[in-house]
């Protein structure tokens, strides 16, 4: 029992756990007999990476985040998957005959000995968290034994030889390969688009479409029929758009696939949205917010009443930010209720409910019911109609903190959007606490980022934002990032805090320009400026910032 208590004390000293959280975990441990670390993660008090970082500090090892790590094939082939899994290690790289390995247990001597025997040199050892370890291990070994690109080329070559009916098994395998390749590339959407001569497959990766495969047109009808059958759509209907969905299992993970078809002049165009469920719940710092914005958001979310909105277009990370901020709340002392569509993250000590339109349970009806549940904080997944907007305002002015999202392009345009939803001007000015607008920009690939001389336009743009630089950083493209130069995304944001002057401006019906002018004069950092600061730091490029927030 001594080791877990030491870990608890270490978590307390690092500020990732509170004494009350540790006390509750220890009480639950007495009831369930679970391991303290596992229990803390299950209760949502800490994440698996945070726990691994603490163990790393305790053991003197360096922690490695496997999120963006792609192990080398050469290293993986030296140790069979069964052996790696059995001894709890993952081979990562092989450099100058020395292996780099990841382990989840800092006292794993067997893993170190195995790597030493194979290479004749002591390995570089990193501690990794168990969640990412298992996922990376499964994916890395699978794609070594199932080379997607090679198999796709083989099938395309076979199709050139077929003159009659294409076998159903070939179609089924082709659809599976298209989807698995999308999962491997961490695509959010797969586009299957027919042209006059061929069918092109595109993947949306980090918010940008990338060409994946070029397939013979003769197989397009078969692909459409196969996906329609999976999505329980009418295969005979080719004149009208259709929507459906199905579940797809891959490497012990379940993906919800939403299917959309539309008729085009060259055949039916398909888009598959891959929903893998939410990843681990992150802290605000991990989303890319700078220290001053993190401090500001934390302070805002500890308000006792009012409305706080996270705004931005679809796919801009609003829900992730909302939950990262919600995690900062003291959920042991505040009654938090949520209604979502669907529930993406699971949080302990939060009463989470899900929209059910068939049963008549929607955001507005949930908000009404929540008022009778003695709430402190109410999270409404989205404000999308008049009734929900009015219920949110009513809850806020009666002493509750209301959190929600809205689809607008920047922070200040959330005001006319709410007024358009028939919210009373006086009530809105009284209820609104803050609006956080955000976007996601692609990060420079850490494997191929190089320094380059800034162009005249780039120098001028930096100067406009009072930044003096002569060189910048950008990814040149490599196999790790699919030759895009980018890998992963980071948030850029602006936080509009509603002070007394802005309240009066809203009540007086002032223009959005006037409201934003006052906000900027009082310290609000504009969305574009936040992005340009990240470009100056080398996190992303100016071109990427201007693409997203230009």
């Amino acid at each position: 029992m001594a080791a877990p208590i030491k870990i608890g004390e270490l978590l307390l000293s690092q500020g990732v756990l509170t004494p009350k959280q540790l006390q509750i975990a220890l009480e639950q441990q007495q009831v369930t007999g679970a391991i303290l670390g596992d229990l803390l993660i299950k209760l949502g008090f800490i994440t698996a990476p945070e726990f691994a970082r603490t163990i790393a500090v305790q053991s003197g090892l360096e922690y490695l985040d496997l999120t963006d790590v792609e192990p080398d094939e050469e290293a993986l082939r030296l140790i069979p998957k069964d052996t790696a899994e059995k001894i709890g290690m993952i081979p990562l790289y092989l450099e100058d005959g020395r292996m780099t390995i990841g382990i989840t247990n800092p006292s794993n001597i067997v893993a170190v000995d195995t790597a030493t025997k194979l290479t004749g040199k002591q390995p570089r050892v990193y501690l990794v968290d168990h969640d990412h370890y298992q996922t990376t291990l499964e994916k890395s070994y699978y794609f070594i034994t199932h080379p997607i690109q090679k198999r796709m080329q083989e099938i395309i070559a076979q199709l050139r030889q077929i003159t009659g009916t294409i076998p159903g098994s070939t179609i089924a395998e082709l659809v599976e390969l298209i989807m698995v390749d999308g999962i491997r590339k961490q695509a959010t959407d797969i586009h299957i688009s027919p042209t006059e001569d061929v069918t092109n497959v595109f993947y949306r990766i980090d918010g940008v479409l990338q060409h994946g495969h070029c397939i013979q047109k003769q197989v397009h009808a078969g692909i459409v029929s196969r996906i329609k059958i999976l999505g329980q759509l009418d295969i005979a209907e080719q004149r009208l758009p259709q929507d459906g969905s199905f579940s797809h299992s891959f490497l012990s993970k379940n993906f919800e696939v939403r299917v959309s078809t539309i008729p085009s002049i060259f055949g039916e165009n398909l888009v598959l949205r891959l929903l893998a469920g939410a990843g681990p719940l992150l802290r605000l710092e991990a989303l890319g917010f700078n220290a001053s914005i993190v401090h500001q958001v934390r302070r805002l979310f500890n308000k006792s009443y009012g409305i706080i909105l996270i705004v931005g277009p679809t796919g801009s990370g609003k829900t992730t930010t909302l939950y990262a901020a919600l995690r900062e709340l003291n959920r042991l002392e505040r009654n938090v209720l949520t209604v979502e569509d669907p529930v993406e993250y699971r949080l302990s000590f939060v009463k989470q409910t899900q929209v059910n339109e068939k049963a008549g349970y929607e955001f507005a009806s949930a908000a009404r019911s929540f008022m009778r549940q003695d709430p402190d904080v109410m999270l409404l997944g989205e404000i999308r109609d008049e009734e929900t907007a009015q219920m949110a305002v009513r809850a806020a002015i009666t002493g509750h903190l209301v959190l929600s999202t809205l689809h607008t392009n920047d922070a200040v345009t959330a005001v006319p959007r709410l007024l358009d939803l028939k919210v009373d001007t006086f009530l809105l000015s009284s209820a609104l606490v803050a609006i956080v607008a955000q976007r996601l920009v692609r990060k420079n690939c850490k494997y191929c980022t190089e320094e380059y001389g800034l162009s005249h336009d780039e120098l001028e743009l930096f100067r406009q934002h009072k930044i003096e630089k002569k060189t910048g950083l950008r990814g040149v493209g490599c196999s790790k990032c699919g030759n895009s130069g980018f890998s992963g995304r980071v948030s850029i944001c602006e936080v509009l805090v509603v002070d007394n002057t802005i309240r009066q401006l809203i009540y007086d019906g002032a223009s959005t320009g006037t409201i934003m002018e006052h906000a900027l004069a009082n310290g609000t950092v504009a969305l574009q400026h936040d992005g340009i600061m990240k470009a100056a730091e080398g996190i992303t490029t100016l071109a990427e910032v201007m693409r997203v927030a230009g």
Side-chain angles (χ1 to χ4, degrees), residues 444-445 448-453 458 472-477 485 538 540-541:
N444 287 328
C445 172
C448 65
T449 295
E450 291 182 1
E451 196 172 29
Y452 75 101
E458 288 175 320
L473 293 174
R474 66 183 175 197
V476 294
T540 186
T541 65

Side-chain angles (χ1 to χ4, degrees), residues 210-488:
Q210 294 183 19
H211 188 267
H213 308 285
C214 189
I215 304 169
Q216 286 92 336
K217 182 67 178 292
Q218 72 197 74
V219 81
H220 183 76
I223 290 173
V224 172
S225 294
R226 171 67 181 166
I227 292 172
K228 280 185 172 182
I229 289 167
L230 290 171
Q232 298 183 327
L233 302 177
D234 183 356
I235 60 171
E237 180 56 78
Q238 300 176 9
R239 302 163 302 167
L240 296 171
Q242 294 188 69
D243 295 308
S245 65
F246 63 93
S247 292
H248 179 76
S249 293
F250 178 69
L251 297 179
S252 307
K253 194 169 185 178
N254 204 46
F255 291 81
E256 183 69 20
V257 183
R258 292 181 184 170
V259 184
S260 172
T261 75
I262 60 166
S264 76
I265 57 172
F266 297 119
E268 288 184 274
N269 193 84
L270 274 74
V271 175
L272 311 180
R273 170 149 286 188
L274 300 175
L275 302 171
L281 197 54
L282 300 172
R283 289 192 180 273
L284 288 166
E285 296 92 336
L287 301 178
F289 296 155
N290 63 43
S292 62
I293 288 178
V294 168
H295 175 73
Q296 194 175 33
V297 171
R298 279 188 179 141
R299 187 167 48 79
L300 289 168
F301 272 71
N302 278 297
K303 297 267 186 186
S304 57
Y305 62 90
I307 296 178
I308 300 174
L309 295 172
I310 313 285
V311 305
T314 302
S316 59
K318 297 187 295 294
T319 304
T320 303
T321 299
L322 199 56
Y323 269 88
L326 190 62
R327 195 182 164 205
E328 304 286 341
L329 292 173
N330 185 343
R331 302 188 304 278
L332 297 174
E333 295 180 2
R334 301 176 82 178
N335 183 23
V336 183
L337 297 106
T338 78
V339 55
E340 304 157 70
D341 184 21
V343 172
E344 292 185 41
Y345 296 92
R346 296 181 188 277
L347 265 178
S348 59
F349 305 102
V350 173
K351 293 80 179 174
Q352 294 176 272
T353 69
Q354 190 161 295
V355 165
N356 186 338
E357 290 183 3
K358 289 181 181 176
Y361 185 67
E362 297 180 337
F363 290 118
S365 56
R368 272 197 305 274
S369 302
F370 286 176
M371 295 291 278
R372 296 188 289 274
Q373 285 279 315
D374 183 30
D376 293 299
V377 182
M378 293 164 52
L379 186 152
L380 310 178
E382 184 186 342
I383 293 177
R384 56 171 73 148
D385 55 47
E386 293 177 14
E387 192 179 0
T388 308
Q390 288 161 10
M391 282 302 304
V393 169
R394 199 173 304 163
I397 61 173
T398 52
H400 306 93
L401 183 64
V402 179
L403 315 172
S404 192
T405 68
L406 198 64
H407 287 91
T408 63
N409 287 327
D410 56 22
V412 73
T413 51
V415 174
R417 175 76 183 111
L418 288 169
L419 293 174
D420 187 50
L421 291 172
K422 305 293 191 297
V423 174
D424 180 80
T425 309
F426 172 73
L427 295 180
L428 179 61
S429 63
S430 304
L432 205 54
V433 168
I435 306 163
V436 181
Q438 77 170 60
R439 296 283 193 286
L440 295 175
V441 295
R442 292 178 293 171
K443 294 190 294 184
N444 287 328
C445 172
K446 62 183 178 183
Y447 296 103
C448 65
T449 295
E450 291 182 1
E451 196 172 29
Y452 75 101
L454 296 169
S455 68
H456 173 75
D457 289 345
E458 288 175 320
L459 286 167
E460 188 57 36
L461 190 55
F462 272 133
R463 285 195 193 104
Q464 286 174 15
H465 289 263
K466 298 181 173 57
I467 299 168
E468 288 295 329
K469 285 187 74 71
K470 292 182 179 178
T471 61
L473 293 174
R474 66 183 175 197
V476 294
C478 64
S479 60
K480 303 277 189 185
C481 62
N483 293 312
S484 68
F486 298 100
S487 180

Side-chain angles (χ1 to χ4, degrees), residues 165-187:
T165 305
I166 300 167
S169 58
T170 303
I171 299 287
E173 185 181 1
L174 191 56
V175 170
E176 178 72 13
L177 286 170
I178 289 169
M179 290 179 59
V180 168
D181 198 23
I183 292 168
R184 179 177 71 89
K185 292 173 176 174
Q186 297 184 339

Side-chain angles (χ1 to χ4, degrees), residues 89-147:
M89 68 172 285
I90 180 167
L92 297 171
Y93 312 114
L94 201 61
E95 297 170 301
D96 302 323
R98 186 183 180 193
M99 187 179 284
T100 299
I101 63 171
I103 56 175
T104 56
N105 183 349
S107 57
N108 190 343
I109 306 298
V110 178
V112 177
D113 288 346
T114 302
T116 306
K117 285 175 186 174
L118 282 169
T119 61
K121 294 181 180 180
Q122 277 281 109
R124 292 185 187 88
V125 182
Y126 290 96
L127 197 72
V128 298
D129 67 90
H130 192 270
D131 288 359
H132 286 120
Y133 161 77
Q134 201 63 44
T135 304
T136 308
L137 185 83
E138 294 279 353
K139 283 177 70 174
S140 300
Y141 278 102
Y142 178 87
F143 290 117
I144 282 181
T145 54
H146 300 78

